[in-house]
Amino acid sequence: MPLTRRYFLAAAGAAALCGAAPLRAQQTWPTRNVRLLVPYPAGGSSDIIARAISQHLSEALKQTVIVDNRPGANGNLGAALVAQSGEEGHTLLLCDVGALMISPSVYTKLTFDPNKDLRGVTMLAYSPHILAVHPSVPVNTLPELVALSKRERLNFAVTAMGSAPHVAGVAVEQATGAKWEYVPYKGGSQAITDTIGGQTQIIMNGMLATLPHIQSGKLKAIAVSKRTRMPQVPNIPTIAEQGVPGFESGTWQGLMAPASMPPEVVARLSQDLARIMNIADLKAKLGEQGAEVVTMQPAEMDTWLVAERKRWAAVVQKADIRLD
């Protein structure tokens, strides 16, 4: 066989093998159970979504999907576990990705870098924050709450110091001149429980986990943190229309994977999750509770994460929030 032809065939065979490698990786993953790690206690927005999609995802991947709650350090403990879990990609992070982008600005001793050690797979849902108070607090609007905060000590429950609700509360303070004392918890569910019980007077938390308690009368809504009113609760005014134009915050539930996860596997998983999140019954159920399904391609999500990190870093810097 002529050398040139032999070389051509060998090169073609090598190229075929290289082209087949990504396909094999896509087809063989996952090879065992997949863990959806939620870095917060049960009952919060991320946990609700993780449990809502786990069975659908299990069917799509043909492997058991296990929801694993690992709270601690405002979600950073669980995020670090996923970031350092290695190349297999069988442990995935389902969290408030907006809060994850706040962490580098707040924590001085993170053991991982969200921008380098994790990669976006897809956004799942957006749930605006609801600013609410215990029913005994004698206010019905944000201006009234701001005025009361200047006369009386008000305790403001947050999922953790440096969390998205905490930094959003700080942003409201900066914009309105309000004054309140932050009381940190290990997750949104306990913050809600203590505000219902009257141990704290104010809470700002994801609508998905908070709305049922407003509908039951256990909490009183003051404002929603979306730029426009929510159709599910059209009677709750926005923060923007109560003196803080353009204000928007909320919990952005998304899925992250270790940075070493192969791009073709990330793409496949992103497609599976986009389809799952748009299943009519699931989408309607989440919508009724105030969570809007929002999916993104991996590259689009990575761009969004960088922008969010810059946006909230300015708020953190102005308030001089620093945690070890």
Side-chain angles (χ1 to χ4, degrees):
M1 181 185 296
L3 182 61
T4 53
R5 184 163 180 246
R6 185 183 303 128
Y7 177 83
F8 173 79
L9 291 174
L17 287 172
C18 290
L23 181 60
R24 283 201 300 271
Q26 184 172 343
Q27 289 174 338
T28 58
W29 182 91
T31 58
R32 55 185 172 82
N33 292 350
V34 173
R35 183 166 53 142
L36 279 186
L37 194 148
V38 177
Y40 318 112
S45 299
S46 296
D47 180 69
I48 291 170
I49 290 179
R51 296 181 190 281
I53 68 171
S54 60
Q55 184 56 41
H56 295 292
L57 187 58
S58 177
E59 293 167 1
L61 300 179
K62 297 181 174 54
Q63 289 284 353
T64 301
V65 174
I66 301 166
V67 178
D68 184 5
N69 296 87
R70 293 292 187 95
N74 190 20
N76 292 316
L77 177 62
L81 289 174
V82 176
Q84 298 159 5
S85 63
E87 297 183 1
E88 290 183 301
H90 287 82
T91 300
L92 305 170
L93 180 68
L94 199 161
C95 68
D96 181 348
V97 293
L100 189 62
M101 290 302 100
I102 293 172
S103 290
S105 300
V106 172
Y107 290 89
T108 59
K109 297 179 181 178
L110 281 182
T111 60
F112 69 103
D113 184 338
N115 284 317
K116 294 180 180 178
D117 301 329
L118 294 167
R119 67 186 307 166
V121 176
T122 185
M123 200 71 76
L124 300 171
Y126 164 69
S127 174
H129 291 135
I130 288 188
L131 180 63
V133 297
H134 186 271
S136 66
V137 179
V139 301
N140 294 295
T141 68
L142 179 57
E144 290 174 355
L145 181 60
V146 171
L148 181 64
S149 75
K150 295 175 181 179
R151 300 193 305 268
E152 298 180 12
R153 177 191 172 99
L154 296 177
N155 290 326
F156 191 119
V158 293
T159 54
M161 299 301 284
S163 64
H166 171 218
V167 178
V170 170
V172 173
E173 271 192 294
Q174 291 175 353
T176 63
K179 300 291 182 185
W180 33 61
E181 298 294 326
Y182 294 100
V183 180
Y185 290 87
K186 293 183 178 180
S189 57
Q190 188 58 49
I192 290 171
T193 298
D194 271 20
T195 308
I196 289 173
Q199 286 91 334
T200 52
Q201 292 76 49
I202 311 171
I203 188 168
M204 196 167 187
N205 198 54
M207 186 171 175
L208 182 59
T210 313
L211 183 58
H213 304 291
I214 290 169
Q215 293 171 329
S216 68
K218 294 177 181 177
L219 292 172
K220 179 169 55 175
I222 298 298
V224 63
S225 69
K226 196 176 181 185
R227 296 191 185 193
T228 57
R229 294 197 186 198
M230 295 289 290
Q232 299 88 338
V233 283
N235 59 317
I236 303 178
T238 67
I239 290 174
E241 68 185 273
Q242 294 188 77
V244 192
F247 186 91
E248 188 167 22
S249 67
T251 62
W252 292 86
Q253 269 65 46
L255 197 81
M256 307 284 285
S260 55
M261 193 173 192
E264 64 276 4
V265 175
V266 172
R268 171 199 164 188
L269 184 57
S270 181
Q271 291 171 0
D272 284 339
L273 285 165
R275 177 186 56 78
I276 289 168
M277 293 305 298
N278 282 284
I279 293 173
D281 290 349
L282 175 60
K283 188 174 183 178
K285 183 177 180 181
L286 292 174
E288 289 169 0
Q289 299 175 72
E292 175 187 358
V293 169
V294 179
T295 58
M296 295 181 186
Q297 295 292 324
E300 182 185 7
M301 185 175 176
D302 285 337
T303 299
W304 183 92
L305 292 171
V306 170
E308 281 295 282
R309 181 173 181 173
K310 291 179 180 177
R311 174 192 175 198
W312 291 109
V315 176
V316 170
Q317 183 177 10
K318 183 177 179 181
D320 194 26
I321 303 170
R322 287 290 183 272
L323 299 171
D324 291 332

